[in-house]
């Protein structure tokens, strides 16, 4: 951890003063009691369209049907040599890892890989920015997910000061051309932005901070991110506006309810890929209240 993040961690050991939906709030992440103003709005934050989570029994039944289809999809990939590449982006605690885990649960790990790269080495910092990501692209028959990707430079790096404004601007100009090459290569390419409300993120951070099993997930960057909500929003909006293209569109998933979000992500992939034996009835209809495309769908 660098000195700046150490200093931030010390500063944020005190309760935070946050602006949430136009109201000034005080939030102490270290207090085991979650404030009522977060608890009451954790699901509906950001105009989320549902007031209750999808029932667990309904979710489990639908998820199993979709996972059966994913196994069929993987068989097709192995037989045909087709390739799938799916990026998962979103704020910290948006549910990227959980969605990827449900997708890959019953897939053969030999040809279904997840990529979650650490911070670049000194050698990688001297390379073409996209180089270390390209090295992880799928070969024939592979299904590859990225838990964060080159889009780190679209939001996280400029907000946290990990890249220069010039590097950020150059990245946004180059991405559409880079992604055109991916599509031209014949790779089935998906970009998912999991969007959550501010109170949703605060509750998930609080759950992490006080969980004996997940507290390791809570980092100084998470702490600093709580105070930079608006900065993340501005960079998110700019990035999606400039990198949402016909050849590589952004699929936006409203993810306050993790169950609905996971189903939405899997359905979007399955309805987009015409593999043998695809059961559209088992896949079901997409929930247009929580999944859409591009800047117009962002809340």
């Amino acid at each position: 951890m660098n000195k700046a993040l150490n200093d931030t961690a010390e500063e944020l050991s005190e309760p935070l003063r946050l602006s949430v939906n136009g109201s000034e709030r005080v939030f102490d992440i270290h207090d085991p009691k979650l404030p009522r103003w977060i608890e009451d709005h954790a699901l509906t934050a950001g105009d989320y369209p549902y007031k209750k989570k999808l029932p667990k029994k309904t979710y489990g039944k639908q998820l199993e049907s979709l996972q059966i289809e994913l196994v069929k999809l993987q068989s097709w990939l192995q037989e045909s040599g087709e390739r799938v590449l799916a990026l998962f982006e979103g704020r910290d605690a948006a549910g990227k890892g959980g969605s990827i885990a449900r997708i890959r649960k019953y897939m053969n790990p030999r040809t279904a890989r997840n990529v979650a790269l650490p911070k670049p080495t000194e050698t990688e910092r001297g390379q073409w920015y996209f180089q270390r990501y390209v090295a992880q692209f799928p070969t024939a028959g592979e299904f590859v997910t990225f838990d964060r990707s080159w889009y780190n430079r679209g939001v996280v790096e400029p907000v946290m000061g990990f890249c220069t404004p010039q590097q950020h601007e150059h990245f946004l100009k180059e991405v559409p051309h880079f992604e055109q090459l991916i599509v031209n290569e014949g790779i089935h390419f998906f970009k998912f932005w999991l969007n959550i409300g501010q109170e949703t993120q605060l509750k998930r951070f609080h759950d992490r901070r006080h969980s004996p099993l997940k507290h390791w997930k809570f980092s100084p960057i998470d702490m600093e991110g709580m105070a930079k909500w608006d900065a993340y929003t501005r960079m998110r909006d700019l990035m999606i506006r400039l990198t949402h293209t016909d050849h590589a569109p952004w699929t936006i998933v409203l993810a306050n309810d993790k169950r609905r979000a996971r189903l939405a992500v899997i359905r979007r992939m399955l309805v987009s890929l015409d593999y043998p034996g695809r059961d559209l009835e088992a896949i079901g209809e997409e929930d247009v209240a929580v999944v859409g495309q591009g800047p117009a769908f962002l809340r």
Side-chain angles (χ1 to χ4, degrees), residues 106-290:
Y106 295 107
M107 299 179 82
N108 185 339
R110 293 181 178 177
T111 55
R113 293 187 289 115
N114 184 51
V115 178
L117 296 180
K119 66 180 183 180
T121 64
E122 188 64 34
T123 297
E124 289 170 335
R125 282 195 289 269
Q127 294 174 343
W128 176 46
Y129 176 73
F130 297 102
Q131 188 166 337
R132 71 188 191 125
Y133 298 103
V134 172
Q136 300 293 334
F137 277 18
T139 190
E142 278 196 316
F143 182 103
V144 174
T145 52
F146 273 76
D147 187 347
R148 293 199 183 278
S149 66
W150 49 90
Y151 280 104
N152 276 332
R153 182 147 292 180
V155 179
V156 176
E157 289 190 12
V159 170
M160 300 301 294
F162 297 157
C163 71
T164 67
Q166 293 76 20
Q167 287 173 323
H168 178 232
E169 181 180 3
H170 180 72
F171 168 80
L172 292 174
K173 289 179 179 178
E174 291 300 310
V175 165
H177 306 297
F178 171 65
E179 292 176 350
Q180 183 69 70
L181 296 175
I182 297 172
V183 176
N184 290 350
E185 176 60 19
I187 295 173
H188 300 283
F189 184 43
F190 298 91
K191 301 191 304 190
F192 293 103
W193 178 271
L194 304 188
N195 204 64
I196 57 173
Q198 190 171 8
E199 293 97 326
T200 312
Q201 186 187 55
L202 293 173
K203 182 180 187 301
R204 292 180 184 177
F205 279 160
H206 186 270
D207 291 347
R208 284 183 180 181
R209 168 66 180 82
H210 297 281
S211 168
L213 296 175
K214 298 180 181 179
H215 64 86
W216 57 271
K217 287 186 172 184
F218 189 70
S219 70
I221 290 181
D222 292 336
M223 294 180 71
E224 187 166 358
M226 288 189 293
K228 293 182 178 292
W229 177 269
D230 291 340
Y232 271 97
T233 300
R234 288 191 295 272
M235 288 299 178
R236 176 205 66 184
D237 291 351
L238 176 65
M239 179 192 77
I240 291 178
R241 179 169 59 83
L242 295 179
T243 63
H244 176 68
T245 60
D246 290 338
H247 60 271
W250 277 105
T251 296
I252 311 298
V253 179
L254 306 186
N256 287 7
D257 180 359
K258 292 181 179 180
R259 295 170 186 169
R260 286 187 171 92
R262 292 164 183 168
L263 298 178
V265 164
I266 299 173
R267 281 198 179 101
R268 174 53 59 98
M269 289 192 288
L270 293 175
V271 300
S272 303
L273 298 168
D274 188 12
Y275 53 92
R278 183 175 64 169
D279 187 342
L280 291 175
E281 185 176 346
I283 294 170
E285 297 289 331
E286 290 194 279
D287 185 351
V288 297
V290 299

